[in-house]
Amino acid sequence: MGRTPSNHYHHGDLRRALLQSAEHLLESEGLDKVSLRAIARIAGVSHAAPYHHFDDVDDLLASVATSGFSRLRHAMSNKAEAVEGPPLTRLQEAGIAYIRFAAENPEVYRLMFSSRLRASENHPELAKAAGEAYATLGALLGRSSPNASAAFGAAQAAWSTVHGLAMLIIDSRLDIDRNDAEAVERAAREVTNVLGRGLRDLVSGA
Amino acid sequence: MGRTPSNHYHHGDLRRALLQSAEHLLESEGLDKVSLRAIARIAGVSHAAPYHHFDDVDDLLASVATSGFSRLRHAMSNKAEAVEGPPLTRLQEAGIAYIRFAAENPEVYRLMFSSRLRASENHPELAKAAGEAYATLGALLGRSSPNASAAFGAAQAAWSTVHGLAMLIIDSRLDIDRNDAEAVERAAREVTNVLGRGLRDLVSGA
């Protein structure tokens, strides 16, 4: 126990521990309470330790948001691959997984869309992860829509719908408790039903 | 000019001037920069003057948000009433007006949905204005949907879609400049086209 706290971790493990502590702090206390100092305390390392991996708190938060987009993408594609059926059925399952991710990780989700992190300018890896998540949604809409404009409109409609419902749920704007998984799933299914009907003519093989 | 600055205004005019100054400051500098002191300076009144009308800055911001919901509601119903056509055509025009309002007033729109103002607990007039805006969208969906659950799903889908696109535009998540009115209108029309097709079977008289 005479070691300095940051020696508890191997290099990669420290980074992971800091990210986990940041996410824990974010979800339990909110973005305003997140500082490198508080994160170091939760991870049980010295105040200086986070600087081995991150320039400042926004650099660390960008990594939390990047990891969030990556997990969101995997949640969507895992669900889409697990179901049999036409493209729109798979899109619906991916959309429900998207909304569930936001309901389960509200502060991470909010951070992912926060204007605080100017992704493309300062955090290229965050911009890349966000782009990949968006592309996953686009790929589920099929590659052979009647024309590029229709495909673009379809992707925007799909993203708008799931993002809108996700935000309304986590901002408590609907009479839905975000911790009630069944209520979230029911609302997500109803709203993506409408989306699916709307996209029927736009998505080939639907 | 020997008068104290707040004497420049009649009672109701001071309140209006403070709200206008707050909105100006909000849109030009962002929520973080809004304080009663800064608002008083812009309105050209004493530091004490705002307290004649508002308990604190959140009380004033709640009034800005309340006025925002009221203007949003009028923007939607004016548009819906100005067009001829079936309910879904009127809903689409209202939805486009909704998205345009957000693009033109991004910080006010963000404030309206901010968790900072816990509407129902501390600001009942804000909760009322928000409820009325939501009801306007619901009324455009027609009063005679096949059943209550379908009507509820339709309203949630409509609100999710317009809120989602509005947020994606004002958070610069799409390749759309929020100040480019034509680009905003085009995206809003495409996305509400998808919504309208999705709602066709749910809305009576569509």
Side-chain angles (χ1 to χ4, degrees):
Chain A
M1 301 304 275
R3 299 175 300 178
T4 60
S6 64
N7 286 344
H8 287 216
Y9 294 100
H10 288 285
H11 193 71
D13 292 341
L14 171 60
R15 188 174 193 281
R16 205 170 313 123
L18 290 167
L19 290 173
Q20 280 173 357
S21 299
E23 199 172 316
H24 176 79
L25 188 63
L26 187 63
E27 290 296 352
S28 57
E29 304 278 328
L31 186 56
D32 291 350
K33 295 290 160 56
V34 175
S35 66
L36 283 185
R37 190 167 278 253
I39 292 164
R41 196 183 316 123
I42 291 175
V45 300
S46 74
H47 291 157
Y51 293 97
H52 296 158
H53 289 280
F54 303 101
D55 293 341
D56 52 31
V57 70
D58 276 7
D59 190 26
L60 190 151
L61 287 172
S63 289
V64 171
T66 303
S67 146
F69 272 115
S70 164
R71 279 149 54 208
L72 173 61
R73 178 164 64 89
H74 284 109
M76 285 193 287
S77 47
N78 287 346
K79 260 315 219 176
E81 280 161 24
V83 293
E84 303 279 334
L88 281 180
T89 304
R90 299 171 66 225
L91 176 72
Q92 176 168 38
E93 294 304 322
I96 293 168
Y98 183 113
I99 293 155
R100 195 188 294 134
F101 174 89
E104 289 170 358
N105 306 274
E107 296 300 330
V108 170
Y109 187 80
R110 232 189 285 274
L111 175 70
M112 286 157 58
F113 287 88
S114 160
S115 55
R116 172 166 173 171
L117 306 172
R118 305 235 162 253
S120 50
E121 294 156 33
N122 302 330
H123 307 288
E125 81 292 353
L126 171 56
K128 182 163 170 281
E132 284 170 354
Y134 185 51
T136 298
L137 214 54
L140 285 166
L141 286 166
R143 281 168 207 84
S144 45
S145 282
N147 58 62
S149 161
F152 191 62
Q156 282 189 344
W159 199 15
S160 295
T161 306
V162 294
H163 181 59
L165 181 58
M167 293 299 292
L168 291 174
I169 289 174
I170 70 179
D171 286 337
S172 306
R173 291 286 157 168
L174 302 171
D175 199 13
I176 295 171
D177 175 359
R178 69 164 188 85
N179 293 308
D180 180 343
E182 271 181 46
V184 169
E185 166 109 17
R186 198 161 46 237
R189 197 163 289 282
E190 278 184 6
V191 166
T192 53
N193 267 338
V194 173
L195 172 68
R197 274 194 299 270
L199 291 174
R200 222 154 25 192
D201 306 336
L202 290 181
V203 175
S204 60
Chain B
M1 300 305 274
R3 300 175 299 175
T4 60
S6 65
N7 287 345
H8 288 217
Y9 294 101
H10 287 286
H11 193 73
D13 293 342
L14 171 60
R15 187 175 193 280
R16 205 171 312 121
L18 291 168
L19 289 174
Q20 281 173 357
S21 299
E23 199 171 318
H24 176 79
L25 187 63
L26 187 63
E27 289 296 351
S28 58
E29 304 277 329
L31 186 55
D32 291 349
K33 295 289 161 54
V34 175
S35 66
L36 283 185
R37 188 168 279 253
I39 292 164
R41 195 184 317 122
I42 292 175
V45 298
S46 74
H47 291 159
Y51 293 98
H52 296 157
H53 288 280
F54 303 102
D55 292 340
D56 51 33
V57 70
D58 276 8
D59 189 28
L60 191 151
L61 287 172
S63 290
V64 172
T66 302
S67 146
F69 273 115
S70 164
R71 278 149 54 208
L72 172 61
R73 178 164 64 89
H74 284 109
M76 286 194 287
S77 46
N78 287 346
K79 260 312 217 178
E81 279 160 25
V83 293
E84 302 279 333
L88 281 180
T89 303
R90 300 171 65 224
L91 176 72
Q92 176 169 39
E93 293 305 322
I96 293 168
Y98 183 113
I99 293 155
R100 195 189 295 135
F101 173 88
E104 289 170 359
N105 305 274
E107 297 300 330
V108 169
Y109 187 79
R110 232 190 283 277
L111 175 70
M112 286 157 58
F113 287 88
S114 160
S115 54
R116 172 165 171 171
L117 306 172
R118 306 234 161 255
S120 50
E121 293 156 34
N122 302 329
H123 308 289
E125 80 292 354
L126 172 55
K128 181 162 172 279
E132 284 169 355
Y134 185 51
T136 298
L137 213 54
L140 285 166
L141 286 165
R143 279 167 209 83
S144 46
S145 280
N147 58 62
S149 160
F152 191 62
Q156 282 189 343
W159 198 16
S160 296
T161 305
V162 294
H163 181 58
L165 181 58
M167 292 300 291
L168 291 173
I169 289 174
I170 69 179
D171 285 337
S172 307
R173 294 284 158 169
L174 301 172
D175 201 12
I176 296 171
D177 175 359
R178 70 166 188 83
N179 294 309
D180 181 343
E182 272 181 45
V184 169
E185 165 110 16
R186 198 160 48 236
R189 198 163 288 282
E190 278 185 7
V191 166
T192 53
N193 268 336
V194 173
L195 172 67
R197 275 195 300 270
L199 290 174
R200 222 154 24 192
D201 306 337
L202 290 182
V203 176
S204 58

